[in-house]
Amino acid sequence: MIMKKDIVGIVGLSILMFISGCSTKYDNLEISKIESFWTEGFGPFYRKFTRTFDFNTNTVFDTIVVYQEEYNELLQSGRINEDDKHFYNNPVTITSFDEEQEKKFVKKVKSLGLYTWKDSYETKEIINDGGSKRITIYFTDGTSKSTYFYFKFPSNYNKVGNAFENYLGTGIFYELNWSAAYTEIGFDEATSVPPILETYNFKLNRP
């Protein structure tokens, strides 16, 4: 016969096992910075759109990394719009956060399961065009955790993204002004924005 105290013990053990199952080797580590980037696929130029959340200076800065030769070509061809020009190979601070916001952010994303994300989320339904998105968390002990995305995201991605916006002041990924970029090279933003950009790059911070 199962006694009441036995039931309580079983429930307590189950809860403990559940909590242990959700713990990771990163839980007690301190974050140094979080870096995200995305790259274009099938493009004539290689551009790496980077966003860095620096937990030492409590600032967030964006950079567009490009080889100097390709930058000159992009500039001459008019494919660099004025909104993004000053980000090329030049880290630009876009926002900041305080210590309290940092603590709330870390607590929130840990509870949401950011540290349980797999190394890769990639769909097989679309041919990989070479473009990619990645987020890497760097810790003060020198270790890091990285996750790659290709048209597929973990189920809690939006909630984690909301935590970035609510506590660190902006979304996970650099947002390119596609309307300006494609208008300048001949696309009518109202009618001719390529559908793949509409679904992927216009919504960089949402799946």
Side-chain angles (χ1 to χ4, degrees), residues 42 122-131 150-151 196:
F42 288 149
E122 183 175 0
T123 182
K124 302 300 181 185
E125 298 176 4
I126 300 174
I127 296 174
N128 195 318
D129 65 357
Y150 188 74
F151 285 88
I196 195 65

Side-chain angles (χ1 to χ4, degrees), residues 139-191:
F139 300 97
T140 55
D141 71 342
T143 60
S144 63
K145 174 175 174 52
S146 186
T147 300
Y148 166 88
F149 309 99
Y150 188 74
F151 285 88
K152 190 174 182 180
F153 301 85
S155 60
N156 58 355
Y157 181 86
N158 283 347
K159 290 181 179 179
V160 171
N162 286 336
F164 273 83
E165 293 175 1
N166 294 337
Y167 299 114
L168 303 186
T170 189
I172 298 175
F173 289 94
Y174 181 109
E175 302 99 352
L176 179 65
N177 184 343
W178 284 107
S179 297
Y182 277 86
T183 298
E184 288 188 9
I185 64 170
F187 281 104
D188 176 353
E189 66 173 291
T191 59

Side-chain angles (χ1 to χ4, degrees), residues 5-31:
K5 63 179 181 180
D6 294 327
I7 295 174
V8 172
I10 292 170
V11 171
L13 181 60
S14 299
I15 293 172
L16 182 60
M17 289 175 67
F18 175 78
I19 292 172
S20 299
C22 292
S23 64
T24 74
K25 64 181 181 180
Y26 306 103
D27 288 348
N28 296 319
L29 300 182
E30 186 178 346
I31 297 175

Side-chain angles (χ1 to χ4, degrees), residues 29-172:
L29 300 182
E30 186 178 346
I31 297 175
S32 172
K33 70 175 179 179
I34 299 175
E35 184 177 272
S36 67
F37 74 82
W38 60 274
T39 58
E40 300 166 298
F42 288 149
F45 304 100
Y46 174 81
R47 292 190 291 180
K48 182 178 177 182
F49 299 85
T50 303
R51 172 161 292 172
T52 303
F53 301 82
D54 191 324
F55 282 66
N56 296 311
T57 61
N58 286 24
T59 55
V60 183
F61 54 89
D62 284 351
T63 317
I64 302 175
V65 180
V66 64
Y67 297 116
Q68 189 60 46
E69 256 183 51
E70 294 190 342
Y71 174 76
N72 294 336
E73 288 184 46
L74 284 163
L75 199 59
Q76 290 171 10
S77 66
R79 294 189 64 176
I80 296 179
N81 67 76
E82 290 300 319
D83 290 342
D84 296 294
K85 186 176 179 179
H86 59 297
F87 289 101
Y88 278 81
N89 296 330
N90 178 47
V92 177
T93 299
I94 59 168
T95 189
S96 60
F97 50 92
D98 58 34
E99 294 291 334
E100 189 62 28
Q101 290 171 313
E102 177 184 325
K103 289 177 183 177
K104 289 180 178 178
F105 167 79
V106 172
K107 182 178 180 181
K108 186 65 175 178
V109 294
K110 282 168 67 175
S111 71
L112 289 171
L114 172 61
Y115 294 165
T116 67
W117 281 5
K118 296 187 295 185
D119 293 342
S120 175
Y121 293 88
E122 183 175 0
T123 182
K124 302 300 181 185
E125 298 176 4
I126 300 174
I127 296 174
N128 195 318
D129 65 357
S132 65
K133 296 169 70 174
R134 184 179 293 277
I135 179 172
T136 303
I137 306 168
Y138 296 91
F139 300 97
T140 55
D141 71 342
T143 60
S144 63
K145 174 175 174 52
S146 186
T147 300
Y148 166 88
F149 309 99
Y150 188 74
F151 285 88
K152 190 174 182 180
F153 301 85
S155 60
N156 58 355
Y157 181 86
N158 283 347
K159 290 181 179 179
V160 171
N162 286 336
F164 273 83
E165 293 175 1
N166 294 337
Y167 299 114
L168 303 186
T170 189
I172 298 175

